[in-house]
Amino acid sequence: LQGSSDFLTGAGSAVDWWDIEFERGRSSFDVPHNLVVNAIYEVPWGKNLTGVKGAFAKGWQFSVIGTASSGLPFHPIIGFDRAGDGQSDTDMQRPSWAPGRNAENAIVGDVNGWFDPEAFVLPAGGTFGNVARNSLRGPNLRVVDFSTFKNQQIGRTVLQLRLEIFNLLNRANFAP
C-alpha cells in the first residue's frame, strides 16, 4: 500500500523514484492463509431443576475461538541513506542479498532471530539494495480464546456473568 504506513512494512514513498518497478511486491497486508473457527456450546445441565439448584445449574455456555494465519510480509531496512539520494525517508532503503542467498533460505524461524542477518549485505555506496519489497514472511499467528457464560434469569431481565481467557494456550505470537 504505497503512501501509507498503517502496517509495519508500510512505506511513505518509493525507495527509488526512478525505478517504480522495484516497489512491486506482496501487499503489506497479504495473509494467504487465514482460518478462524468458533463454537458455542450451551450446557444442558439442570433443565428440569427449579429453585436454588436450578439457578446454579441452568444457563451455562462455553465458547471457543481458534485463529491460525500466515505471518505478514516484511523486508529488512538499512536505516540510513546508503544510496546518498538525500531523500527524507532514508530509513526505508533496503540491503542487498549476500551471494548465494535469497528469500527462500534467509528465514531461520527462531524466536531469537526470525531471519539470518548474514543473508544480507550493504549495497555499494551510492546504490540501492536488491532485496525486493515484502520479500520475506514473518511469524505465523496461533491463538485460542475461551470463555464461559452463566445466564441468570432475574424476573424479566437476564444477568450474564462471564469469564474470558484470551490466548488460552499462552503461545507467544511475535511480529516480524
Side-chain angles (χ1 to χ4, degrees):
L1 183 63
Q2 199 62 34
S4 172
S5 56
D6 292 340
F7 289 84
L8 181 65
T9 58
S13 63
V15 172
D16 180 4
W17 283 100
W18 305 110
D19 185 8
I20 296 300
E21 281 297 308
F22 184 59
E23 296 305 315
R24 285 197 180 272
R26 293 183 186 125
S27 167
S28 293
F29 48 89
D30 175 51
V31 180
H33 306 102
N34 191 28
L35 174 68
V36 178
V37 178
N38 69 339
I40 299 173
Y41 178 68
E42 188 173 342
V43 180
W45 301 330
K47 292 271 186 193
N48 299 326
L49 295 175
T50 58
V52 175
K53 286 183 182 178
F56 282 113
K58 287 193 256 182
W60 288 96
Q61 292 179 333
F62 297 105
S63 172
V64 65
I65 301 173
T67 305
S69 65
S70 303
L72 291 171
F74 74 100
H75 53 262
I77 57 174
I78 295 174
F80 63 94
D81 189 9
R82 180 70 174 178
D85 66 352
Q87 298 295 317
S88 61
D89 59 351
T90 57
D91 61 338
M92 299 307 332
Q93 292 181 16
R94 301 187 283 265
S96 290
W97 291 108
R101 303 302 296 269
N102 57 37
E104 285 76 41
N105 62 23
I107 295 293
V108 177
D110 182 16
V111 69
N112 295 315
W114 189 252
F115 60 89
D116 181 6
E118 304 276 323
F120 309 98
V121 295
L122 285 174
T127 65
F128 294 100
N130 63 9
V131 173
R133 177 178 179 268
N134 290 338
S135 56
L136 302 172
R137 187 162 300 278
N140 59 29
L141 174 73
R142 303 287 186 269
V143 178
V144 176
D145 299 331
F146 175 79
S147 59
T148 184
F149 311 116
K150 169 69 168 105
N151 296 312
Q152 183 62 51
Q153 186 81 35
I154 301 174
R156 294 187 319 189
T157 306
V158 175
L159 173 68
Q160 186 177 77
L161 304 171
R162 314 178 82 132
L163 171 68
E164 297 178 321
I165 302 170
F166 300 98
N167 197 7
L168 176 69
L169 305 177
N170 198 27
R171 181 182 189 267
N173 291 292
F174 296 101

